[in-house]
Amino acid sequence: MTTDPRRHAPATLRNREAILAVLRDVLPKDGLLLEIASGSGEHAAFMAPQLAPVVWQPSDSEAEALPSIDAHAADSKATNIRPALRIDVTAADWPVQRADALLCCNMIHIAPWAAAEGLVAGASRLLSEPNAPLILYGPFRRHGQHTAPSNAAFDDSLKARDPNWGVRCLDSEVSPLAARHGFTRMQVVEMPANNLTVIFRKNG
């Protein structure tokens, strides 16, 4: 019997409509969207068909995730999802040469800070056009403070699993990192479950 490769992340069912609404507003009308840390692949399968002709390039650092991403894409019948790539954001070179937008959901808090640094450095390399968007989704601290008690508890649980993980501060950590790589923070959108979507744009 063939094993179903599809993984399922319950959070995607709760946040996908809200994220899609933001993407409709901030993405270019066409071009290539690179998704970093695609995970199960459910975001791509749900959103890509509704964002055509934008081409969606999913990726993940774990080779084991790629079959799930591709299986969900096949189920969606979308013609604008490319085969998933393995991308280690901390590597100096990625198997993508350029992109028109970059999306990363729920990664930088469950990875060492070096992953956030690699993500933004890679976005700076790949997003060559002025105003190209770098879009981050997840929990963030604001001005050093958690936005909700549940986020504080989540942060504690992350650090208990790995002291290099944790909810990052948008104002003192993430935005200054983006600025060093040529991005300006343009918009912060409040999302369900005390998460944020943050839109940076490449400086001209």
Side-chain angles (χ1 to χ4, degrees):
M1 186 174 69
T2 302
T3 302
D4 186 350
R6 293 173 300 173
R7 298 178 177 182
H8 297 277
T12 61
L13 295 177
R14 297 192 295 268
N15 63 33
R16 63 186 190 178
E17 293 280 2
I19 296 172
L20 176 62
V22 176
L23 294 184
R24 288 189 191 278
D25 284 340
V26 304
L27 288 182
K29 298 302 181 186
D30 54 22
L32 179 70
L33 167 66
L34 172 61
E35 182 189 18
I36 294 294
S38 298
S40 66
E42 292 168 285
H43 275 156
F46 176 75
M47 298 183 205
Q50 303 182 70
L51 294 169
V54 171
V55 175
W56 193 295
Q57 175 62 72
S59 71
D60 204 88
S61 64
E62 295 183 7
E64 296 81 4
L66 305 188
S68 174
I69 298 168
D70 289 337
H72 280 295
D75 284 350
S76 77
K77 303 293 193 291
T79 59
N80 61 326
I81 305 177
R82 290 184 175 179
L85 297 173
R86 187 177 185 184
I87 294 181
D88 174 2
V89 292
T90 64
D93 294 305
W94 297 359
V96 178
Q97 301 304 311
R98 65 169 303 279
D100 299 287
L102 191 148
L103 170 68
C104 182
C105 298
N106 288 324
M107 184 195 80
I108 64 173
H109 59 283
I110 51 173
W113 181 242
E117 294 175 319
L119 170 70
V120 178
S124 183
R125 293 193 305 270
L126 269 63
L127 300 175
S128 58
E129 293 297 320
N131 295 316
L134 164 62
I135 306 152
L136 305 182
Y137 168 87
F140 295 90
R141 288 180 287 126
R142 297 301 313 270
H143 309 291
Q145 303 298 315
H146 287 290
T147 60
S150 59
N151 280 10
F154 181 46
D155 191 30
D156 288 341
S157 71
L158 290 172
K159 291 173 179 174
R161 291 165 62 189
D162 189 323
N164 294 311
W165 295 4
V167 176
R168 312 301 180 183
C169 183
L170 179 59
D171 304 287
S172 65
E173 296 177 303
V174 180
S175 291
L177 171 64
R180 290 196 295 272
H181 287 278
F183 290 93
T184 298
R185 192 177 84 196
M186 302 299 292
Q187 190 176 1
V188 179
V189 183
E190 293 188 2
M191 306 292 280
N194 301 305
N195 290 316
L196 301 174
T197 298
V198 186
I199 297 96
F200 299 91
R201 290 195 180 271
K202 187 77 177 288
N203 297 335

